[in-house]
């Protein structure tokens, strides 16, 4: 079996000082994550970020900028994840939309809650991307190129 990294996307979505987070189950544990998921075949990173956000939270978003790329080796499964994180603006909530089956709920949480030492983050990257966002890290979306 050959090694390959898992390409994922995530979005930081802020509204009124709160951040959109998903509550989900991971190996029987309740954890929290930004809206995130895997890149599908033929999909751009930007399209994947928009799709994953609405699928996991029922929030339609518009990408504003690129936060960064984060590499993480998950100790529980040995997989390497390459997370491409975007900053997005919330546009509209589709209240009747069903969330992905792995998602328990979507929540708007404060930075203090997310950065608390006892916060049940899915991985250390969850808090790292928020810290980078709060520090003002931003890149234009044009740093990413998708050749169709």
């Amino acid at each position: 079996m050959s090694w390959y990294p898992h390409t994922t996307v995530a979005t930081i979505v802020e509204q009124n000082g709160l951040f959109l987070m998903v509550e989900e189950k991971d190996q029987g544990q309740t954890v929290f994550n930004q809206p995130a998921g895997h890149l599908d075949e033929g999909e751009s990173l930007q399209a994947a970020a928009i799709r994953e956000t609405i699928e996991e939270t029922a929030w339609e978003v518009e990408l504003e900028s690129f936060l960064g790329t984060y590499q993480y080796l998950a100790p529980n499964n040995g997989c390497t994840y390459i997370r491409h994180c975007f900053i997005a603006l919330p546009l509209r909530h589709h209240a009747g939309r069903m969330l992905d089956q792995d998602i328990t709920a979507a929540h708007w949480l404060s930075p203090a809650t997310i950065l608390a030492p006892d916060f049940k983050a899915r991985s250390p990257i969850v808090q790292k991307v928020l810290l980078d966002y709060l520090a003002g890290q931003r890149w234009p979306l044009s740093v990413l190129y998708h050749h169709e």
Side-chain angles (χ1 to χ4, degrees):
M1 182 176 189
S2 62
W3 175 89
Y4 69 92
H6 294 256
T7 302
T8 64
V9 295
T11 57
I12 295 282
V13 184
E14 181 182 10
Q15 182 170 254
N16 302 320
L18 300 176
F19 292 87
L20 185 59
M21 301 291 290
V22 296
E23 178 183 347
E24 59 189 342
K25 293 284 188 188
D26 183 40
Q27 307 219 350
Q29 300 278 340
T30 297
V31 294
F32 293 86
N33 197 2
Q34 284 90 15
H38 287 82
L39 178 70
D40 286 347
E41 185 176 354
E43 188 175 42
S44 71
L45 292 168
Q46 296 92 324
I50 291 167
R51 175 185 54 76
E52 286 289 350
T53 302
I54 198 164
E55 287 178 356
E56 293 194 348
T57 68
W59 273 92
E60 191 176 332
V61 298
E62 176 184 351
L63 300 183
E64 181 179 52
S65 54
F66 183 65
L67 184 65
T69 298
Y70 301 80
Q71 183 173 335
Y72 176 65
L73 175 60
N76 63 340
N77 62 13
C79 290
T80 298
Y81 295 92
I82 309 295
R83 173 187 270 212
H84 304 277
C85 193
F86 293 87
I87 298 167
L89 300 170
L91 296 179
R92 68 186 62 78
H93 185 241
H94 299 270
R97 184 182 173 103
M98 294 292 295
L99 303 181
D100 275 358
Q101 66 180 16
D102 297 336
I103 305 300
T104 305
H107 304 280
W108 290 96
L109 302 177
S110 71
T113 298
I114 299 166
L115 296 173
D118 61 345
F119 184 70
K120 302 290 187 205
R122 182 164 181 153
S123 79
I125 302 300
V126 172
Q127 292 168 315
K128 171 63 174 149
V129 299
L130 179 59
L131 287 170
D132 288 350
Y133 172 85
L134 294 172
Q137 182 170 300
R138 310 280 189 282
W139 300 100
L141 291 171
S142 62
V143 300
L144 299 170
Y145 171 74
H146 177 80
H147 186 82
E148 296 191 37

